[in-house]
């Protein structure tokens, strides 16, 4: 369902479909990666980076995890370790 919505450029709906699939354990890291891509296309930069971080921190070693790590590195993204840090 998410793939069809994404092909049609319905990114918000694709996010919902991929999120639902991920919550139900369908598709593993590939589904999460497609969720991240849809979030990016929908303009949800925070969700995009958070989903990529979730993939990269996961235990499953696969192509999608390697790709997520590469994409995060290309954005020079540093994960948030403490939200209060910097507010002192």
């Amino acid at each position: 369902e998410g793939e069809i919505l994404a092909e049609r450029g319905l990114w918000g709906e694709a996010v919902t479909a991929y999120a639902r699939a991920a919550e139900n354990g369908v598709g593993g890291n590939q589904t999460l990666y497609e969720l991240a891509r849809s979030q990016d296309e929908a303009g949800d930069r925070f969700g995009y980076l958070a989903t990529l971080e979730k993939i990269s921190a996961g235990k499953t070693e696969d192509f999608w995890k390697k790709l997520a790590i590469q994409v995060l590195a290309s954005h020079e993204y540093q994960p948030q370790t403490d939200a209060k840090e910097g507010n002192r």
Side-chain angles (χ1 to χ4, degrees), residues 26-58:
V26 176
N29 281 345
Q30 182 175 359
T31 296
L32 286 172
Y33 190 85
E34 294 301 333
L35 171 60
R37 190 174 69 88
S38 296
Q39 289 168 318
D40 188 34
E41 292 288 346
D44 179 6
R45 184 81 173 154
F46 177 79
Y48 165 68
L49 293 172
T51 302
L52 290 176
E53 186 177 331
K54 180 177 181 175
I55 298 167
S56 69

Side-chain angles (χ1 to χ4, degrees), residues 38-82:
S38 296
Q39 289 168 318
D40 188 34
E41 292 288 346
D44 179 6
R45 184 81 173 154
F46 177 79
Y48 165 68
L49 293 172
T51 302
L52 290 176
E53 186 177 331
K54 180 177 181 175
I55 298 167
S56 69
K59 293 180 181 179
T60 303
E61 297 293 332
D62 61 5
F63 168 80
W64 303 104
K65 180 175 180 173
K66 291 175 187 173
L67 185 57
I69 291 169
Q70 246 182 348
V71 170
L72 287 171
S74 72
H75 289 287
E76 296 180 17
Y77 173 71
Q78 297 297 316
Q80 293 283 330
T81 54
D82 184 354

